[in-house]
Amino acid sequence: MNHTPVVFIHGTWLHALSWESWAERFASRGFLAFTPGWPGEAAAVGESRKSARGVAGIGLDVLTDHYAGIVRSFDTAPVIVGHSVGGLIAQHLLAANIGRAAVAIAPAPLNDIALPEAPARLWTPDRADAEPLVTLSPRRFHRVFANTATAEESDRLFERYVVPAPRRLLDDLGHASAARKRHAVVDVANADRGPLLLISGQEDLLVPDSVTRAAYKRYGDTTAVTDLKQFADRAHSLVIDNGWRFVADYVLDWLDEYGLRSRHG
């Protein structure tokens, strides 16, 4: 019997450490959990903040190809779990038949689904600011990312996990009249891909529940397994805040339902 690998892909403004609780939980259930960072990402959060220019030039193409190479490197096709931009990448890879199954949590919009402009405005930062990195203050993180958490919890999450995001990556996602990059386009009609679970938080300001529901509807014409789970009273921080385990355990149960267990023969 072999253990099934799971590759976790973090999103913008978070460090790979943001998956630490998930990795431990999945490992306790017998999965092989991997939380590889972005290319150029420092090993520690503090170091990432000081030397964030290592990821400043990262675009969606480089990021997607980076994780495609990681997923392909396993002898056993992994399950892919992604949050935010990581959720978009997870869908893109699964639709390209890379990976065994995918879970996209509060995923950045795909295809022709519009990016939200208000109230967050984080996806569309002020173009007058030419800085290659888009940073969050603790106050703004609480207001638009961890808006269902207390100020105390939000500050703790910020200190442990939050890092700057590359402006180029945000540009690649497309906003206003900008064209989407090819890696932001997903083959939603592929009937041969593995199972896909989309997850939303109904208080999410960065990727509103309506955006995730719109993505779910795009898969309506395929016979491949596509499921949607909506969590009430949850924000974009649902993978790291105090309710993370409810989300993680739902994912584990979903994987088990489709026979995607921790061990296989």
Side-chain angles (χ1 to χ4, degrees):
M1 301 288 285
N2 296 318
H3 291 267
T4 300
V6 180
V7 174
F8 293 92
I9 307 175
H10 72 83
T12 46
W13 294 289
L14 292 181
H15 187 272
L17 183 66
S18 60
W19 289 118
E20 60 178 339
S21 298
W22 285 68
E24 182 179 349
R25 181 66 175 151
F26 273 64
S28 74
R29 293 278 291 264
F31 289 94
L32 292 175
F34 297 88
T35 60
W38 293 5
E41 180 180 300
V45 172
E47 188 181 352
S48 288
R49 289 174 181 162
K50 293 176 183 176
S51 59
R53 292 191 180 276
V55 301
I58 295 294
L60 190 59
D61 53 352
V62 170
L63 201 55
T64 303
D65 291 345
H66 171 70
Y67 282 105
I70 291 172
V71 173
R72 285 190 174 111
S73 70
F74 292 89
D75 292 334
T76 300
V79 171
I80 309 168
V81 178
H83 173 242
S84 191
V85 170
L88 172 60
I89 293 171
Q91 291 176 84
H92 181 89
L93 296 182
L94 186 68
N97 298 316
I98 303 172
R100 187 176 178 188
V103 179
I105 305 171
L110 54 82
N111 299 0
D112 62 340
I113 300 172
L115 280 162
E117 294 256 359
R121 288 284 299 168
L122 280 182
W123 296 122
T124 57
D126 186 359
R127 300 306 303 160
D129 180 2
E131 285 297 315
L133 294 165
V134 179
T135 60
L136 288 180
S137 66
R139 180 179 179 182
R140 197 173 193 200
F141 174 76
H142 186 208
R143 183 165 60 87
V144 302
F145 200 112
N147 47 289
T148 57
T150 64
E152 181 181 7
E153 182 187 10
S154 178
D155 287 346
R156 179 180 60 80
L157 295 174
F158 180 92
E159 185 60 30
R160 186 157 184 82
Y161 301 124
V162 175
V163 295
R167 179 181 295 278
R168 178 181 171 186
L169 176 60
L170 302 181
D171 287 342
D172 283 354
L173 291 172
H175 55 81
S177 60
R180 286 291 176 88
K181 299 297 183 182
R182 66 183 181 89
H183 288 91
V185 177
V186 174
D187 180 9
V188 295
N190 181 6
D192 297 323
R193 62 162 171 80
L196 170 65
L197 172 63
L198 298 168
I199 292 177
S200 68
Q202 293 186 314
E203 298 299 323
D204 193 328
L205 300 179
L206 272 178
V207 181
D209 172 65
S210 60
V211 171
T212 306
R213 282 188 283 111
Y216 176 66
K217 290 178 181 178
R218 295 296 189 277
Y219 288 100
D221 292 333
T222 180
T223 57
V225 170
T226 311
D227 292 329
L228 171 67
K229 172 60 178 177
Q230 299 160 285
F231 283 90
D233 305 319
R234 302 305 300 280
H236 203 62
S237 59
L238 76 172
V239 296
I240 55 172
D241 61 30
N242 60 49
W244 72 267
R245 188 161 179 166
F246 293 105
V247 185
D249 283 353
Y250 185 91
V251 171
L252 285 164
D253 290 343
W254 179 83
L255 291 172
D256 189 64
E257 179 183 351
Y258 287 105
L260 301 163
R261 297 181 175 87
S262 59
R263 294 176 179 84
H264 59 93

